[in-house]
């Protein structure tokens, strides 16, 4: 490499670092905007879920169905659009989705839109940082944990923005997503940072683009599914408490009543995990083919290989449990969280704590 080329690559690496830190600053602003969305949304009256859960006791007609409201508009009666009702996986509760983080208020919605706009801007800046890093090393920017972490958070935010663009009701995830992205980038820039360098010999292959890219995509989307699963568990407990005549605290009510119903969250997580499980299967197969090309064997029970397989088995068990009547609901949700925990351990724990042919964490 000529001195001029080396200087250009160094400048690109510095630009990448600058863009990453700039994206963190914008993500922080998005975090504050999401906080404002939840705060202003809490000022509205969001007791719709509790009313729906108790309506069967007080209203004749369809059991558990929210009453259709009639409001006056001049001299004409106008029927409000009926709320969407989804059936719980356990088949015990029919509950409408909440109004979202904004709580149905104009102020809350304004801050929510600002938060999404800032998240989009931060995503563009971070993606540019990943591209600059790739240009500085002249390869796929996935050669160490620092680069993997940058791409992981970028893909996670990109998936979230795609769901929003498809008109999916996922803005409730914004605060959690931005918080974890900031945590991911903080860990990456503080403890995992690795200067621009060339790959270890085993990674010099076109399979780097195929195998690692699919692993990143799967991990990012599995994270979104895990987020929905965690919120499902909280929302399910909240609905069960209301159905049993309990009285949740004011804070719990304010938060839980604005989320989608437990059934909606459960269905969301299941569809996300089921859609990308085949891609994770392909990731493992691609890794085995790459191992055969690089090391002369397709499978050697390396720690990374073992935990990738354990993660696959865990998600397979979850999908099977989700389709089995006795394991729907919370039991299946625990399996989904265990599967994602295996993925996280496979990334952080195996790369940092265990030794093997995949021990090129760069930290």
């Amino acid at each position: 490499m000529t001195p001029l080329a080396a200087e250009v690559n160094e400048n690109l690496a510095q630009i990448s670092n600058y863009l990453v830190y700039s994206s963190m600053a914008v993500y922080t602003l998005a975090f504050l905007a999401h906080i404002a969305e939840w705060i202003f949304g809490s000022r509205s009256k969001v007791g719709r879920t509790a009313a729906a859960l108790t309506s069967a006791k007080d209203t004749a007609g369809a059991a558990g169905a929210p009453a259709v409201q009639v409001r006056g508009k001049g001299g004409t009666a106008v029927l409000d659009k009926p709320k969407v009702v989804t059936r719980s996986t356990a088949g015990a509760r029919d509950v409408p989705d909440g109004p979202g983080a904004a709580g149905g208020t104009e102020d809350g919605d304004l801050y929510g839109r600002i938060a999404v706009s800032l998240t989009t801007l931060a995503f563009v800046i971070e993606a540019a940082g990943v591209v600059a890093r790739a240009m500085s090393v002249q390869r796929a920017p996935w050669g160490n944990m620092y680069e993997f972490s940058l791409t992981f958070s970028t893909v996670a935010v990109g998936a979230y923005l795609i769901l929003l663009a498809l008109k999916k009701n996922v803005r409730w995830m914004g605060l959690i997503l931005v918080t974890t992205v900031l945590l991911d980038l903080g860990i990456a820039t503080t403890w995992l940072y690795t200067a621009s360098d060339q790959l270890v010999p085993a990674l010099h292959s076109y399979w780097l683009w195929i195998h690692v890219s699919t692993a990143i995509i799967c991990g990012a989307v599995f994270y979104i599914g895990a987020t929905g699963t965690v919120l499902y568990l909280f929302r399910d407990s909240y609905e069960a408490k209301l159905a049993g005549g309990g009285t949740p605290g004011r804070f719990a009510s304010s938060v839980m009543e604005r989320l989608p119903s437990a059934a909606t969250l459960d269905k969301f997580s299941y569809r996300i995990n089921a859609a990308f499980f085949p891609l994770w299967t392909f990731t493992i197969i691609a890794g085995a083919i790459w191992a055969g090309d690089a090391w002369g064997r397709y499978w050697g029970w390396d720690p990374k290989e073992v935990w990738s397989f354990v993660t696959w088995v865990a998600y397979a068990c979850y999908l099977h449990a989700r389709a089995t009547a006795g394991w729907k609901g919370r039991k299946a949700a625990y399996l989904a969280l265990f599967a994602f925990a295996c993925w996280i351990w496979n990334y952080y724990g195996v790369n940092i704590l265990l030794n093997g042919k995949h021990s090129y964490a760069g930290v």
Side-chain angles (χ1 to χ4, degrees):
M1 182 181 296
T2 65
L4 178 59
E7 182 179 356
V8 170
N9 291 343
E10 180 62 26
N11 290 336
L12 286 171
Q14 293 178 0
I15 291 173
S16 174
N17 295 340
Y18 172 78
L19 290 172
V20 170
Y21 281 108
S22 297
S23 70
M24 292 176 67
V26 181
Y27 277 129
T28 301
L29 295 177
F31 169 81
L32 296 175
H34 275 299
I35 289 290
E37 177 186 17
W38 281 93
I39 290 176
F40 281 91
S42 68
R43 297 178 181 178
S44 65
K45 295 181 178 179
V46 291
R48 308 177 188 184
T49 302
L53 285 170
T54 57
S55 61
K57 300 178 181 179
D58 306 320
T59 306
V68 177
Q69 300 174 355
V70 181
R71 53 187 172 86
K73 188 174 182 181
T76 305
V78 181
L79 291 177
D80 282 340
K81 183 179 179 180
K83 299 180 180 65
V84 176
V85 178
T86 52
R87 181 170 292 279
S88 166
T89 55
R93 296 188 299 271
D94 290 327
V95 182
D97 291 336
T105 64
E106 292 185 5
D107 288 343
D109 184 65
L110 173 62
Y111 282 106
R113 292 178 182 275
I114 292 174
V116 171
S117 298
L118 289 170
T119 302
T120 304
L121 176 60
F123 164 77
V124 172
I125 296 174
E126 185 183 7
V130 173
V131 172
R133 177 76 176 196
M135 294 174 64
S136 71
V137 295
Q138 297 181 359
R139 57 169 172 78
W142 311 315
N144 50 62
M145 291 184 67
Y146 170 72
E147 296 171 355
F148 193 101
S149 296
L150 294 186
T151 310
F152 171 84
S153 58
T154 303
V155 174
V157 176
Y160 166 73
L161 294 176
I162 288 174
L163 289 173
L164 286 177
L166 294 175
K167 307 299 183 183
K168 303 299 182 181
N169 177 26
V170 294
R171 206 167 82 184
W172 45 266
M173 189 190 300
L175 178 59
I176 299 175
L177 176 69
V178 171
T179 302
T180 50
V181 164
L182 283 171
L183 179 62
D184 174 71
L185 292 177
I187 293 173
T189 55
T190 304
W191 291 298
L192 303 180
Y193 179 78
T194 305
S196 299
D197 200 357
Q198 296 303 310
L199 294 171
V200 297
L203 294 181
H204 283 285
S205 171
Y206 61 88
W207 282 105
L208 174 66
W209 291 92
I210 301 173
H211 172 64
V212 182
S213 65
T214 54
I216 292 173
I217 293 172
C218 288
V221 177
F222 284 158
Y223 159 75
I224 291 178
T227 300
T229 301
V230 171
L231 292 179
Y232 157 74
L233 292 173
F234 281 107
R235 173 74 189 216
D236 184 65
S237 296
Y238 174 78
E239 292 178 7
K241 187 172 185 178
L242 284 178
T247 305
R250 183 176 179 181
F251 176 79
S253 296
S254 176
V255 173
M256 291 295 118
E257 287 175 3
R258 283 181 278 167
L259 292 175
S261 68
T264 298
L265 290 169
D266 179 66
K267 184 184 300 182
F268 169 80
S269 301
Y270 170 70
R271 289 178 174 177
I272 288 288
N273 291 326
F276 282 83
F277 177 73
L279 186 62
W280 181 247
T281 304
F282 170 79
T283 300
I284 296 177
I285 295 174
I289 296 174
W290 188 8
D293 183 51
W295 300 319
R297 51 81 171 159
Y298 295 102
W299 193 268
W301 298 104
D302 182 78
K304 176 70 72 172
E305 297 168 352
V306 170
W307 280 99
S308 295
F309 179 68
V310 170
T311 302
W312 184 90
V313 171
Y315 272 110
C317 290
Y318 160 71
L319 295 176
H320 177 72
R322 185 58 174 68
T324 303
W327 276 80
K328 286 184 178 180
R330 299 183 69 87
K331 291 181 180 179
Y334 292 139
L335 276 176
L337 293 182
F338 173 76
F340 183 69
C342 289
W343 191 94
I344 290 294
W345 166 254
N346 193 24
Y347 176 53
Y348 286 104
V350 172
N351 282 354
I352 296 176
L353 301 178
L354 303 181
N355 293 321
K357 287 184 175 296
H358 291 81
S359 299
Y360 37 78
V363 294

